[in-house]
Amino acid sequence: MSRYCLLGLIALGCYLTILQAPEYVSFQKGDWPISGEKIPDMVALTMGFSVQEDLSWPGLRAGPLFQRPRANVLVVVRGVDSLALPQSVASYPLENPVPFTLDSVAETVHTLFAEDTPVVLQLAPSEERLYMLGKANAVFEDLPVTLQQIRARLSQDGSVLTSLPLNSLSRNAEADLLFLSEVQVLHDITALLQRHRHLAKDHSPDLYSLELSGLEELGRRYGQDSSQYQDATAILANVLQKFGEDLFGLYGDSAVVEVVTVKKFEAPLTRKSRSILESKQISNPGSPYNLAYKYNFEYAVIFNIVLWLMIILALAVIVISYNLWNMDPGYDSIIYRMTNQKIRLD
């Protein structure tokens, strides 16, 4: 394994497996379970952000303060227990596999790096759900979003149909096309980032969140023992491995890529609908319930600056007052010394 490795997280049914990681993002080997609802907090900590509640999970060690990944990519694969992805650093049991999103992490990125306009992309092709912030609006403007657009993309130049071993998969079946459309989206994201390599060189971290449900639809249509499902599982494992390696290289070996495989979530995920290409403005309006203001992540910095400045000024006043009180006007003050000499001459 190279000195810097790619980070991937795979939830094998009820397991979370670390595929690869940069050396400064340290995961410890052990059988420590982690709850599905804590995955966003874990993602935030790997990016160097604070979380509301401490993550009491020994699997992730604290990393260097001034060395953090430039990007985080989370891919959720529904409808499969595990994917045959090569290499792994550690694996952990996944407790309570409830649905989760990275909305809180996206809000933190946008709040802390609003002036740098980082890339924030959240996409679910099967639901035609797209949410973009910052530079993502310009970079991924031509990214096919609706299923009709993606299927049209499959018939154009550079389609994955020309390079993938389809085997038992059909180009005409609806379930097969949904799966192939999601593979095409992964390919197009990599291609667009390769055309805009400058995004990986700025100082603001980028965030990608993708949800794939093509395997779930194939399992529902043909069954998990079918050749279509097995072929699609093998294809997706290879595609995700290459997708992670490409993004890791584009970000200069400083990207975190997570893949969560979940057979079935324990509860349905409800979230507010967003219009296509909507750019949400993060704000903090007044609350009609007289609630406290939202926590500002710069509070700790400002508090320490004010605290130590007050301590330094207080010590300075004490030292100056002490020296003035014990000062001998005849020897320590030049004014009294000059006056004393003049009196002697007269």
Side-chain angles (χ1 to χ4, degrees):
M1 186 179 296
S2 62
R3 186 172 175 222
Y4 293 95
C5 307
L6 174 64
L7 172 72
L9 307 177
I10 301 122
L12 306 179
C14 290
Y15 280 90
L16 184 67
T17 302
I18 310 303
L19 182 62
Q20 294 176 325
E23 65 175 8
Y24 50 84
V25 180
S26 179
F27 287 92
Q28 304 300 303
K29 293 184 178 181
D31 194 21
W32 299 299
I34 181 173
S35 175
E37 61 187 6
K38 293 297 183 180
I39 290 181
D41 290 344
M42 185 196 62
V43 172
L45 291 175
T46 59
M47 300 182 71
F49 301 146
S50 301
V51 293
Q52 293 183 351
E53 298 180 2
D54 291 337
L55 182 63
S56 56
W57 182 60
L60 177 63
R61 293 184 57 186
L65 182 61
F66 300 103
Q67 190 174 20
R68 294 298 179 181
R70 297 179 182 173
N72 190 290
V73 184
L74 173 68
V75 182
V76 178
V77 181
R78 295 165 50 183
V80 62
D81 288 331
S82 62
L83 292 174
L85 296 171
Q87 299 181 350
S88 64
V89 177
S91 62
Y92 312 98
L94 183 65
E95 293 182 338
N96 190 25
V98 296
F100 59 87
T101 67
L102 298 186
D103 290 347
S104 59
V105 184
E107 183 175 342
T108 301
V109 171
H110 181 76
T111 302
L112 297 180
F113 301 92
E115 296 181 357
D116 298 328
T117 59
V119 174
V120 177
L121 173 67
Q122 300 185 59
L123 176 64
S126 63
E127 301 178 11
E128 299 185 357
R129 186 175 72 239
L130 175 65
Y131 174 50
M132 297 190 296
L133 280 175
K135 297 178 182 177
N137 286 311
V139 176
F140 299 105
E141 183 179 4
D142 298 329
L143 185 69
V145 177
T146 65
L147 294 178
Q148 183 179 2
Q149 293 175 345
I150 300 175
R151 289 170 184 173
R153 175 71 180 86
L154 290 173
S155 60
Q156 299 174 359
D157 295 337
S159 170
V160 295
L161 297 180
T162 60
S163 58
L164 291 179
L166 299 182
N167 297 331
S168 60
L169 296 177
S170 173
R171 302 189 181 192
N172 301 319
E174 290 294 326
D176 301 38
L177 283 176
L178 173 60
F179 169 77
L180 295 173
S181 298
E182 293 176 343
V183 175
Q184 183 67 54
V185 169
L186 296 177
H187 177 270
D188 289 344
I189 289 176
T190 304
L192 289 172
L193 286 175
Q194 288 176 345
R195 269 188 267 165
H196 301 272
R197 292 176 176 267
H198 62 280
L199 295 176
K201 298 179 181 179
D202 55 16
H203 300 290
S204 58
D206 299 334
L207 181 67
Y208 304 86
S209 177
L210 311 174
E211 183 176 333
L212 309 179
S213 59
L215 282 180
E216 186 179 34
E217 186 63 28
L218 287 173
R220 187 182 298 113
R221 174 71 181 275
Y222 302 109
Q224 296 183 4
D225 296 331
S226 63
S227 58
Q228 291 90 341
Y229 182 86
Q230 299 298 327
D231 291 340
T233 301
I235 290 174
L236 185 59
N238 294 329
V239 168
L240 287 177
Q241 183 69 34
K242 187 177 185 304
F243 177 71
E245 291 175 354
D246 291 342
L247 287 180
F248 186 66
L250 285 172
Y251 280 92
D253 297 354
S254 183
V256 177
V257 180
E258 300 106 355
V259 179
V260 177
T261 60
V262 178
K263 186 71 174 182
K264 184 179 180 181
F265 285 117
E266 292 185 354
L269 176 62
T270 58
R271 52 185 294 165
K272 296 187 296 182
S273 60
R274 292 169 174 157
S275 60
I276 300 298
L277 299 181
E278 176 187 3
S279 180
K280 177 184 175 183
Q281 298 296 328
I282 305 299
S283 60
N284 186 23
S287 172
Y289 306 105
N290 195 27
L291 300 179
Y293 288 101
K294 182 182 293 185
Y295 176 79
N296 191 332
F297 286 93
E298 296 180 356
Y299 172 79
V301 178
I302 298 175
F303 176 80
N304 277 274
I305 293 176
V306 174
L307 173 64
W308 291 108
L309 182 60
M310 292 176 61
I311 293 176
I312 293 173
L313 291 176
L315 292 176
V317 170
I318 293 173
V319 172
I320 294 173
S321 301
Y322 177 81
N323 284 276
L324 287 175
W325 184 264
N326 295 278
M327 183 179 65
D328 186 352
Y331 295 95
D332 297 334
S333 174
I334 189 173
I335 299 176
Y336 285 98
R337 187 177 302 172
M338 294 297 296
T339 307
N340 192 20
Q341 291 178 357
K342 185 178 180 180
I343 294 175
R344 291 179 181 178
L345 292 175
D346 292 341

